[in-house]
Amino acid sequence: MVIAIDGPSGVGKSTVSRLVAERMSLAYLDTGSTYRAATLAVLRRGVATTDEEAILDLLADTSIDYDERGVLLGGESVAFDVRSDAVTRAVSTVSAHPRVRAEIVEIQRRWVAAHDGDAVVEGRDIGTVVFPHTPVKIYLTASPMVRALRRAGDSEAQGEDVESVARKLEARDHADSTRTASPLRPASDAKIIDTGDLTIDEVVEMIVSYAATTG
Ligand code: DC
C-alpha cells in the first residue's frame, strides 16, 4: 500500500513521512529529491531551466536512482548537493515542464513497484497524480509564518532571517501551486491535517491510525 503525503515546503512533510515509514516498516520516498536531482543535472550541464526539450534529452542519458544514503545521479550520491541554494532556486522552473514531470513520475512509480508497491511517498502531487488510487492520502498544511519559522531552523537556512525564508517559501508555493502541470493541491479525498498546533509525534500518530482504518 502507498501512503501519499503531500503539502507545501516547511510543513514538516519529510520528518513526519520518515517517522511514519519507520513506524509502519515501510520504504520511504522523498519525490522532491527526484526533481532536485534532475535540476542538479541541468545546472551542472549548463542547460537552460526553461528548455524542456534539452532537459528531456539530458534525462534520457542520465540515471536517477536511490540507495540507502538517498538520491543518486548517474550513480553518484548527491543527497547533499541537491539541497544547495542554487538547486532550490531553480527546481520549481524545472519541475513545471509537463513532459519532464512525466519522465520523473515514471522513475518514482518504478521505485515504488520495486518495493512491492508498499511505501510512504512524500511530495506535491502524490495523491492527485502519481498514486491517485491509493486509499491513504494525507495533505499537510500550516500557515506561511509557522512554515517559515520551521524552515529558518533547518540547517540549510542557517543564518537567514525569517522574513527572507518566508518570502522564498511563498515564491516557491506560488510557482508550485499555479503551474499548469500537476499543481500543488489536496486530492478531493485527502485527509487534511493542519500541523500548526500539533507536535510531530501527534501528526505521525494521526497518520498511522488513519492508515490503519482506511488502508
Ligand atoms: O520537497 P522539496 O522542497 O524537496 O521539493 C522541491 C521542489 O520539487 C518543489 O518546489 C516542487 C517540486 N516537486 C514537485 O513538483 N512534485 C513533487 N511531487 C515533489 C516536489
Side-chain angles (χ1 to χ4, degrees):
M1 174 180 64
V2 166
I3 304 205
I5 304 185
D6 289 303
S9 322
V11 81
K13 270 194 323 278
S14 301
T15 311
V16 163
S17 302
R18 247 190 217 105
L19 289 169
V20 170
E22 233 169 67
R23 274 276 298 275
M24 301 184 67
S25 303
L26 290 173
Y28 160 67
L29 179 64
D30 158 22
T31 61
S33 67
T34 337
Y35 291 95
R36 285 175 179 271
T39 304
L40 181 64
V42 164
L43 297 180
R44 281 184 174 176
R45 291 268 194 104
V47 168
T49 54
T50 48
D51 190 342
E52 182 168 32
E53 224 40 74
I55 299 173
L56 287 169
D57 286 346
L58 173 59
L59 288 179
D61 66 7
T62 315
S63 73
I64 298 177
D65 205 348
Y66 290 86
D67 71 2
E68 61 292 339
R69 288 166 301 172
V71 68
L72 305 170
L73 183 62
E76 174 197 347
S77 179
V78 291
F80 179 76
D81 305 52
V82 298
R83 313 302 310 178
S84 74
D85 217 33
V87 169
T88 302
R89 268 185 273 118
V91 67
S92 287
T93 310
V94 171
S95 60
H97 300 298
R99 286 184 298 147
V100 168
R101 296 194 71 80
E103 288 298 321
I104 287 181
V105 165
E106 279 318 305
I107 296 172
Q108 296 164 353
R109 288 187 179 139
R110 274 200 300 272
W111 185 92
V112 171
H115 289 78
D116 299 328
D118 291 324
V120 174
V121 185
E122 170 216 324
R124 304 288 194 290
D125 61 344
I126 310 308
T128 51
V129 174
V130 188
F131 293 104
H133 302 300
T134 187
V136 187
K137 297 177 188 176
I138 308 290
Y139 190 88
L140 301 180
T141 64
S143 73
M145 200 29 100
V146 165
R147 294 191 285 120
L149 282 167
R150 286 181 184 160
R151 260 296 143 92
D154 285 357
S155 53
E156 66 197 80
Q158 284 298 307
E160 233 181 299
D161 62 279
V162 177
E163 281 72 25
S164 147
V165 174
R167 272 196 305 279
K168 285 190 194 165
L169 272 185
E170 278 176 56
R172 201 140 65 90
D173 285 356
H174 181 75
D176 293 344
S177 53
T178 55
R179 67 179 177 222
T180 326
S182 321
L184 168 68
R185 62 175 172 79
S188 56
D189 54 344
K191 177 178 175 61
I192 298 181
I193 302 176
D194 187 331
T195 68
D197 293 324
L198 299 170
T199 65
I200 287 167
D201 287 345
E202 285 169 335
V203 179
V204 170
E205 196 51 53
M206 282 172 84
I207 297 174
V208 171
S209 350
Y210 183 71
T213 53
T214 317

